[in-house]
Structure formats: C-alpha cells, structure tokens
Amino acid sequence: MSAKEKLPPVTTATPGTHSQMAREAWRIFGIMAEFVEATERLAPIRPAVSIFGSARTKPDDPYYEKAEKIARLLSDSGFSVISGGGPGIMEAANKGAYFGSSPSVGLNIQLPMEQHGNPYQDISQTFHHFFARKYMFVKCASAYVVMPGGFGTLDELMEALTLIQTGKSRPIPVILVHSPFWKGLVDWFRERLVAEKMVNPEDLDLIQVLDSPEDVVEAIFKHYEHRGFEPLPGEHELMLNL
C-alpha cells in the first residue's frame, strides 16, 4: 500500500477539521512572535549562565542556599543569571543575581497548573511554548549550571548535552552541582551508555561535577580563559541554525 493510499483525503475529514487546521496554521505566527520578542528582549544580557534545578526546593534547603550563592558570585563576576523564573532553585538563582551586580532573568512558562513567578527578576519573559523557552536557555547561555532537580531539570540537562554532543550548539561548560546527588546518574552513564557503546567515552567529558560555588565560577572562567565569552564567528553561525 502506498503512502497516498494510507492517508485519508482531506475532503473526507471529520466536521471541524478544516477549522482546526486553520487554527494550527495561524498558531505559527504566534510562535514566530514569541521567538522574535524573546530574542530582541534578551539580546543585551550576555554573557549569561543558565541555572536549573527543582521547583520544589524550599528556601531553608541547602540546595537553595548553594544555588543562591552560585548566582550571586556569577552576578558579581559579570554574568547575567537565567532561570525558569519559578519557585525553588529557580527563585534561589534569581534571588542571588537580583542582589548582585548583573541582571537576574526569568524565563517563565504558562502551565495548566500555573507556575507563579518569583519576585527576584530584573527581566521577566513569559513563554507559551516549552520549546521556545528551551531555545532561549541554550541560545543565551555561556554555561549551564544544573542543581538537583526532577524531570524538568533532567530534560534541560539532556537537551544541552545532546546539542553539544551532536555539534548543533557551541561547546559550553555543563556543570552538575552536588556530587552525591549526581553520582548514580554519572555512574550509570559510564556503566551503561559508555559500556554498551551508546555514547563515546569522551562524551562524558562534556560534564563537570562540582560541589562548591567558588569552583563552579572558576570552572566557567577557566573554560573561557583563552577566548571571549561571545560566540566566535563560526559558533555564531552555528547558533543561528540551532
């Protein structure tokens, strides 16, 4: 059976299909507008570091305190700090940067169970679509700092690693903070993914696991010690095709 035979003709579609197709087509313009607005609004914030972690972390949690300190050190070192704009680690990251020397940026997302934005944002940009938001996390970042978190945090981590591994994004530091939390995952990468040749051994070099806020900042500066933070000409062209 050919592909043409497998697909039903549009004329036999159920009632309302044409209207639904038209709505989906017009949504493209909304997506384009979201990309354009975010790109223009976030253009001045570089260099920047994206910080990820659990929305469920409470202000008295050591993870929260460490994220806040990392963000403050980065902000005072000249980096804008980008978070998802919500509670938990996102709030800690924004809070640290907000009271620092550089902008605190929140990339908020509209969810069915609405995520409330934290109050520590110099720049707050709201997205309807996860993919547009995730694009801006990567496009704007000179480094990724990943605190303990759940599925959303892992999603951001894996996307960053995939983009760098496949050459779709420029190489940037990807730093996992708090080695006891990440040990099991990194061991699994080595014992399963590398051992079964799902990834190359050198792919694990894309990840650094650190514990102290000072070491996180030092690792980012070390990565860029022989070059600027801005993308090189070839990297800039690469990011245009992200």
Side-chain angles (χ1 to χ4, degrees):
M1 182 182 290
S2 68
K4 184 177 181 180
E5 292 173 313
K6 293 179 181 179
L7 295 173
V10 175
T11 53
T12 62
T14 58
T17 298
H18 288 287
S19 174
Q20 182 177 343
M21 290 172 61
R23 287 183 61 198
E24 289 182 358
W26 277 100
R27 281 184 65 244
I28 299 298
F29 291 101
I31 294 169
M32 290 170 59
E34 193 160 274
F35 275 102
V36 171
E37 179 184 353
T39 299
E40 292 181 346
R41 188 133 188 257
L42 300 178
I45 69 169
R46 294 175 181 78
V49 175
S50 293
I51 298 181
F52 303 96
S54 175
R56 304 182 186 190
T57 305
K58 304 302 181 186
D60 60 351
D61 191 295
Y63 295 156
Y64 185 107
E65 296 170 5
K66 185 172 285 190
E68 183 179 347
K69 184 172 183 181
I70 291 170
R72 180 60 185 266
L73 290 174
L74 288 168
S75 180
D76 287 340
S77 297
F79 292 98
S80 298
V81 173
I82 306 171
S83 91
I89 295 297
M90 294 178 282
E91 178 182 286
N94 284 136
K95 184 178 180 181
Y98 187 79
F99 292 107
S101 304
S102 304
S104 170
V105 182
L107 305 186
N108 302 273
I109 184 73
Q110 292 185 344
L111 298 174
M113 296 179 64
E114 187 173 359
Q115 169 185 297
H116 67 276
N118 69 69
Y120 304 107
Q121 302 176 48
D122 297 306
I123 300 173
S124 178
Q125 182 72 23
T126 300
F127 293 82
H128 296 278
H129 304 93
F130 265 115
F131 57 84
R133 179 180 182 240
K134 289 165 72 175
Y135 172 84
M136 298 312 299
F137 278 130
V138 176
K139 177 179 172 57
C140 296
S142 297
Y144 262 38
V145 174
V146 189
M147 299 293 299
F151 289 151
T153 302
L154 293 173
D155 178 45
E156 298 291 354
L157 169 61
M158 296 306 169
E159 176 151 21
L161 291 175
T162 301
L163 289 170
I164 297 170
Q165 179 207 41
T166 57
K168 291 294 290 182
S169 174
R170 65 175 178 145
I172 63 173
V174 178
I175 300 170
L176 310 184
V177 180
H178 193 66
S179 52
F181 182 88
W182 296 108
K183 183 180 185 303
L185 180 64
V186 175
D187 287 347
W188 184 80
F189 285 169
R190 185 176 299 107
E191 295 166 6
R192 290 297 178 190
L193 300 188
V194 174
E196 298 190 23
K197 296 181 169 46
M198 304 297 177
V199 301
N200 295 326
E202 58 269 23
D203 289 333
L204 296 193
D205 295 337
L206 300 175
I207 304 168
Q208 299 179 66
V209 184
L210 302 172
D211 289 295
S212 80
E214 293 80 8
D215 286 347
V216 171
V217 178
E218 182 181 349
I220 295 171
F221 274 103
K222 184 176 181 180
H223 180 87
Y224 291 100
E225 64 183 344
H226 298 302
R227 51 161 294 173
F229 294 107
E230 287 296 313
L232 301 174
E235 294 174 342
H236 181 72
E237 189 66 27
L238 184 70
M239 300 305 285
L240 289 175
N241 296 291
L242 186 62

